[in-house]
Amino acid sequence: GLYRLALVLDQMGHLEKAGEICETLLDQETSESGKVYLYNQLGLIKDKQGEYEEAMRFYQKDLEISEKRLPANHPDLAMSYNNIGVVYNSMGNYSKALASHEKALAIRKRSVPPTDPSLASSYNNIGMVYNSMGKHRKALESCEKALEIQQQSLPLTHPDLAWPHNNIGIAHKSMGDYPNALASLEKALVIRQQSLSPIHP
């Protein structure tokens, strides 16, 4: 019950309280699997708070336990590498971010169907790292792969479809292609207007 409360508080933006609950639960947790969930949730919370070193510490603990417990191609390992990649990107360590996202992608290619949304997430994240590195053409190609996968697996107005359109727009803008940037960003906006409440951030 407390863990579910922490998830709700996280969704509501009450990150400090959610983190306190997770840390209390972590002190009481005896099972390895329970610790993995809590380390992951604490990593997410610290990442949202911009406390990247702390987020990385929790994600590394999550990965350390998961690597011992799970087979090498397990999708949960891909999620751990994905989360670590996101934090490295936020910290500006793009080579490590790219390496983590590529590990996640390799696992997902072997463990999930080709239209699985998690594959799109990996391509999208790789695209964002390439964009941060100034490799805008590679960023565009990766984000277009993400969009292609999501279009096969999600309804046309699903809010997750806005992300690849948004990131394709960012890549076009970075290359100075403003008409295509505007078109992609407008597609992202239309999807969000159709699928989210008018006051959604």
Side-chain angles (χ1 to χ4, degrees), residues 19-31 34-35 38-39 42 57-58 61:
E20 287 172 8
I21 291 171
C22 287
E23 298 226 20
T24 299
L25 290 171
L26 185 60
D27 290 339
Q28 300 167 358
E29 186 58 56
T30 55
S31 75
K35 287 180 181 179
L38 292 164
Y39 284 138
L42 283 162
R57 185 172 68 83
F58 286 122
K61 286 183 178 180

Coordinates of all heavy atoms in Angstrom, one line a residue, residues 19-31 34-35 38-39 42 57-58 61:
G19 N 9.8 10.1 -2.3 CA 11.1 9.6 -2.0 C 11.3 9.2 -0.6 O 11.9 8.1 -0.3
E20 N 10.7 9.9 0.3 CA 10.8 9.6 1.7 C 10.1 8.2 2.0 O 10.7 7.4 2.7 CB 10.1 10.6 2.6 CG 10.9 11.9 2.7 CD 10.1 13.0 3.4 OE1 9.0 12.8 3.9 OE2 10.6 14.2 3.4
I21 N 9.0 8.0 1.4 CA 8.3 6.7 1.6 C 9.1 5.6 1.0 O 9.3 4.5 1.6 CB 6.9 6.8 0.9 CG1 6.0 7.7 1.7 CG2 6.3 5.4 0.8 CD1 4.6 8.0 1.0
C22 N 9.7 5.8 -0.2 CA 10.5 4.7 -0.8 C 11.7 4.4 0.0 O 12.1 3.2 0.1 CB 10.8 5.1 -2.2 SG 9.5 5.0 -3.4
E23 N 12.3 5.4 0.6 CA 13.5 5.2 1.4 C 13.1 4.4 2.7 O 13.9 3.5 3.1 CB 14.2 6.5 1.7 CG 14.7 7.2 0.5 CD 16.1 7.7 0.6 OE1 16.9 7.3 1.5 OE2 16.4 8.6 -0.2
T24 N 12.0 4.7 3.3 CA 11.5 4.0 4.4 C 11.3 2.6 4.1 O 11.7 1.6 4.8 CB 10.2 4.7 5.0 OG1 10.5 6.0 5.4 CG2 9.7 3.9 6.2
L25 N 10.6 2.3 2.9 CA 10.3 1.0 2.5 C 11.6 0.2 2.2 O 11.7 -1.0 2.5 CB 9.4 1.0 1.3 CG 8.0 1.4 1.5 CD1 7.3 1.6 0.2 CD2 7.2 0.4 2.4
L26 N 12.6 0.9 1.6 CA 13.9 0.3 1.3 C 14.6 -0.2 2.6 O 15.1 -1.3 2.6 CB 14.8 1.2 0.6 CG 16.1 0.7 0.0 CD1 15.9 -0.5 -0.9 CD2 16.9 1.8 -0.6
D27 N 14.5 0.5 3.7 CA 15.1 0.1 4.9 C 14.4 -1.1 5.5 O 15.1 -1.9 6.2 CB 15.0 1.3 6.0 CG 15.9 2.5 5.6 OD1 16.9 2.3 4.9 OD2 15.6 3.6 6.1
Q28 N 13.2 -1.3 5.2 CA 12.4 -2.5 5.7 C 12.4 -3.7 4.8 O 12.1 -4.8 5.2 CB 11.0 -2.1 5.9 CG 10.8 -0.9 6.9 CD 9.4 -0.4 6.9 OE1 8.5 -0.8 6.1 NE2 9.1 0.6 7.7
E29 N 12.8 -3.5 3.5 CA 12.7 -4.5 2.5 C 13.8 -5.6 2.7 O 15.0 -5.2 2.9 CB 12.8 -3.9 1.1 CG 12.6 -4.9 -0.1 CD 11.3 -5.6 0.0 OE1 10.2 -4.9 0.0 OE2 11.3 -6.8 0.0
T30 N 13.4 -6.8 2.6 CA 14.4 -7.9 2.7 C 14.6 -8.7 1.4 O 15.7 -9.3 1.2 CB 13.9 -8.9 3.8 OG1 12.6 -9.4 3.5 CG2 13.9 -8.2 5.2
S31 N 13.7 -8.6 0.5 CA 13.9 -9.4 -0.7 C 14.6 -8.6 -1.8 O 14.5 -7.4 -1.9 CB 12.5 -9.8 -1.3 OG 11.8 -8.7 -1.9
G34 N 12.2 -6.9 -4.3 CA 11.6 -5.7 -3.7 C 12.5 -4.5 -3.7 O 12.1 -3.4 -4.0
K35 N 13.8 -4.8 -3.4 CA 14.8 -3.7 -3.4 C 15.0 -3.1 -4.9 O 15.1 -1.9 -5.0 CB 16.1 -4.2 -2.9 CG 16.1 -4.4 -1.4 CD 17.5 -5.0 -0.9 CE 17.4 -5.2 0.6 NZ 18.7 -5.7 1.1
L38 N 12.3 -0.6 -5.6 CA 12.5 0.6 -4.8 C 13.7 1.4 -5.3 O 13.6 2.6 -5.4 CB 12.6 0.3 -3.3 CG 11.3 -0.2 -2.7 CD1 11.6 -0.9 -1.4 CD2 10.3 0.9 -2.5
Y39 N 14.8 0.7 -5.7 CA 16.0 1.4 -6.2 C 15.6 2.1 -7.5 O 15.9 3.3 -7.8 CB 17.1 0.5 -6.5 CG 17.9 0.0 -5.3 CD1 18.3 -1.3 -5.1 CD2 18.2 1.0 -4.3 CE1 19.0 -1.7 -4.0 CE2 19.0 0.6 -3.2 CZ 19.3 -0.8 -3.0 OH 20.1 -1.2 -1.9
L42 N 13.3 5.2 -6.7 CA 14.1 6.2 -6.2 C 15.0 6.9 -7.2 O 15.2 8.1 -7.2 CB 15.0 5.7 -5.0 CG 14.2 5.5 -3.7 CD1 15.0 4.6 -2.8 CD2 13.9 6.8 -3.0
R57 N 23.3 6.5 -8.6 CA 23.6 5.6 -7.5 C 22.5 4.5 -7.4 O 22.7 3.3 -7.3 CB 23.8 6.3 -6.2 CG 24.3 5.5 -5.1 CD 24.6 6.4 -3.9 NE 23.5 7.0 -3.3 CZ 22.7 6.5 -2.4 NH1 22.9 5.2 -2.0 NH2 21.7 7.2 -1.9
F58 N 21.2 5.0 -7.4 CA 20.1 4.0 -7.2 C 20.0 3.1 -8.5 O 19.7 1.9 -8.3 CB 18.8 4.8 -7.0 CG 18.7 5.4 -5.6 CD1 18.5 6.7 -5.4 CD2 18.8 4.5 -4.5 CE1 18.4 7.3 -4.1 CE2 18.7 5.1 -3.2 CZ 18.5 6.4 -3.0
K61 N 22.6 0.4 -8.4 CA 22.2 -0.7 -7.4 C 21.2 -1.6 -8.0 O 21.2 -2.8 -7.9 CB 21.8 -0.1 -6.1 CG 22.9 0.5 -5.3 CD 22.4 1.0 -4.0 CE 23.5 1.6 -3.1 NZ 23.0 2.1 -1.8

